[in-house]
Amino acid sequence: MNADNQARVINVGILGCGVVGGALVELIHERREAIAAAAGVELRVTQVGVRSASKERPGVPNDLLTTDTKALVTADDVDVVVEVIGGIEPAQELIRSAMAGGKPVVTANKELLANYGAELSAAADEAGVDLLFEAAVAGAIPIVRPLRESLLGEDVTRIMGIVNGTTNYILTKMSEEGATYEAALAEAQRLGYAEADPTADVGGFDAGAKAAIMASIAFGARVVAGDVYHEGISEITKADIDYANELGYEIKLLAIAEVIEGEQREIGVRVHPAMVPCTHPLASVRDSFNAVFVEGRSAGELMFYGRGAGGRPTASAVLGDLVDAAANLAAGTHRSVPVGAPCRIRPIDDIESAYYLNADVDDSPGVLAQVASVFGAHGLSIRSMNQEGGDGDGAGSARIALVTHQARERDLQAALHDLRELDSVTGIGSVLRVIES
Ligand code: HSE
């Protein structure tokens, strides 16, 4: 508060008035007094940048709307800019222009940050303004600030996140209700979780961008979306889920970022479906919820859980940043963000994991030994193996399912290649990485 105990008015310009922008306008209105009392700043929305000003936007007064977004980011009646339009351009140009003019920026734009986060943070620092982006990763869940502030002194070794609600919803429906992938996806689209073109979600791209942002912050490294290996969930079948459940696992799409210490420090960052033990906290994250599991040498295991998408949850995270940026502006300060150092990304071929796979084989004597010898030849150790079907008369076929101990991806792929060459192996089904604990 200032000397006469009045909250300082901070004018806010919002770029975008979709689900998040609209919810943010409402939320600022609802929370204005509480924020003024708690933080000493009164947020006042002065402009909302939109593509078409003629569209009805319930809860957003028409006189706030403008299509001149370039003017909004340099306007005298805008002190802080919020960007919730998404995508690379024109978002990047507008954010740069706002910061260059001395205006702090709050954004929820994961795509932009996962590609140009380091450059934008450097530009913010040069301009002496905040660039805050809590909402870019896992919606309402506070994870950017905990990684950046609360865990600054911690030696974070691994982060595993369920950071895409659409895919978690689909996998939950398949696991709990026996839905096929196609039916679960259609239901996700009907409920508005999945886009008409669901590729960004089901292909792991959305989670990949979030993994890059989390890795950059947690490890002080420059990790971009292109560094993230990703596989999606569209090949996961009901049979895979049943097998996983039988073995005591749930299948989850995980975004994993880890430090691999060796001669050279490397960062492994990837998104793929994985079998998660039912006893692991991430296995109980259901429906469209998100969670981020953080492991640190001193702190041990932490889990952050909540809504990863949706208008109000995402707007809530944006608002937290907005209050921070406004209070910093009022105090004449800003928090500088260290730009991550260049780092070595460990190629996926060198990543180690336990693996699950199933294969259809001839049901005849010696076949298991042949399969086992392929694994042995590539230095892969089998942890468990079981067989379904087949009566041993040499005429039918059987399905074997096995789980390996930790193995290098390169060796696993080589073993799969050799398995396919065996006459006795008629097909290889899914191959899934297994989280051990
Ligand atoms: N489409 C994302 C999800 C939310 O399903 O979680 C925005 O990142």
Side-chain angles (χ1 to χ4, degrees):
M1 297 274 176
N2 56 22
D4 52 3
N5 233 17
Q6 290 292 302
R8 159 121 177 243
V9 172
I10 299 290
N11 292 325
V12 180
I14 303 174
L15 294 165
C17 196
V19 184
V20 178
L24 181 63
V25 174
E26 278 176 18
L27 214 44
I28 290 174
H29 184 68
E30 286 169 28
R31 301 287 302 153
R32 176 178 295 148
E33 283 172 22
I35 290 168
V41 286
E42 184 185 330
L43 300 177
R44 192 176 287 170
V45 179
T46 50
Q47 296 195 41
V48 179
V50 290
R51 245 194 309 230
S52 159
S54 56
K55 203 169 131 190
E56 267 303 296
R57 292 177 172 84
V60 183
N62 258 348
D63 59 349
L64 296 182
L65 302 180
T66 174
T67 54
D68 194 349
T69 48
K70 283 191 178 163
L72 181 155
V73 295
T74 54
D76 288 340
D77 71 346
V78 169
D79 300 317
V80 180
V81 171
V82 175
E83 183 273 310
V84 282
I85 47 182
I88 303 287
E89 295 297 353
Q92 174 164 222
E93 189 192 339
L94 293 168
I95 287 174
R96 283 184 179 278
S97 167
M99 295 193 306
K103 299 188 200 302
V105 171
V106 174
T107 173
N109 193 330
K110 58 187 172 275
E111 196 187 346
L112 182 58
L113 290 158
N115 286 286
Y116 301 104
E119 292 84 347
L120 287 168
S121 293
D125 218 26
E126 200 179 314
V129 298
D130 280 328
L131 171 65
L132 303 176
F133 48 87
E134 183 62 70
V137 181
I141 304 174
I143 185 63
V144 171
R145 192 172 275 106
L147 287 175
R148 215 188 228 182
E149 297 178 17
S150 326
L151 294 169
L152 193 62
E154 177 59 47
D155 184 3
V156 174
T157 52
R158 182 166 71 159
I159 299 173
M160 294 197 291
I162 294 173
V163 290
N164 183 270
T166 305
T167 46
N168 205 43
Y169 176 84
I170 292 171
L171 292 171
T172 303
K173 289 285 144 190
M174 291 174 74
S175 176
E176 294 183 5
E177 295 175 18
T180 61
Y181 168 76
E182 291 74 17
L185 170 59
E187 180 68 0
Q189 284 170 322
R190 195 184 65 73
L191 292 170
Y193 296 145
E195 309 277 337
D197 175 359
T199 315
D201 290 322
V202 300
F205 298 92
D206 174 83
K210 294 164 182 169
I213 297 170
M214 289 193 293
S216 305
I217 303 168
F219 307 135
R222 201 173 288 198
V223 180
V224 295
D227 292 327
V228 183
Y229 171 83
H230 55 87
E231 289 171 20
I233 64 160
S234 55
E235 304 294 317
I236 301 289
T237 64
K238 183 69 191 70
D240 294 329
I241 301 222
D242 290 344
Y243 268 121
N245 290 167
E246 265 172 45
L247 293 171
Y249 293 88
E250 290 288 349
I251 297 180
K252 298 289 184 188
L253 183 71
L254 295 187
I256 302 176
E258 62 193 342
V259 174
I260 302 145
E261 302 290 357
E263 276 173 33
Q264 267 186 310
R265 182 180 189 254
E266 290 184 325
I267 288 171
V269 56
R270 58 198 200 272
V271 171
H272 53 66
M275 287 177 31
V276 179
C278 289
T279 49
H280 192 286
L282 285 170
S284 60
V285 178
R286 302 172 55 254
D287 286 328
S288 61
F289 279 90
N290 283 195
V292 183
F293 188 80
V294 179
E295 295 163 53
R297 283 197 206 284
S298 309
E301 297 171 347
L302 306 159
M303 189 156 97
F304 301 80
Y305 170 88
R307 290 245 169 245
R312 298 270 296 188
T314 309
S316 165
V318 171
L319 184 55
D321 278 349
L322 182 53
V323 172
D324 210 7
N328 282 345
L329 188 67
T333 177
H334 81 284
R335 171 175 283 272
S336 83
V337 179
V339 175
C343 65
R344 256 186 73 88
I345 301 293
R346 175 162 283 209
I348 187 68
D349 277 352
D350 292 331
I351 292 282
E352 291 193 0
S353 175
Y355 293 85
Y356 158 88
L357 68 94
N358 63 52
D360 291 323
V361 297
D362 291 342
D363 178 31
S364 44
V367 168
L368 273 190
Q370 284 177 9
V371 170
S373 76
V374 165
F375 278 81
H378 290 283
L380 302 173
S381 169
I382 295 171
R383 189 167 83 201
S384 67
M385 194 166 185
N386 62 0
Q387 177 181 324
E388 270 183 19
D391 53 15
D393 65 1
S397 72
R399 172 164 290 187
I400 54 171
L402 61 85
V403 177
T404 71
H405 286 291
Q406 288 283 314
R408 256 194 337 168
E409 175 84 19
R410 182 195 309 281
D411 298 329
L412 191 275
Q413 293 299 340
L416 290 176
H417 171 269
D418 288 0
L419 279 184
R420 286 191 189 97
E421 301 284 298
L422 291 179
D423 288 342
S424 55
V425 174
T426 51
I428 295 181
S430 297
V431 179
L432 289 164
R433 294 164 186 90
V434 179
I435 302 301
E436 292 198 297
S437 59

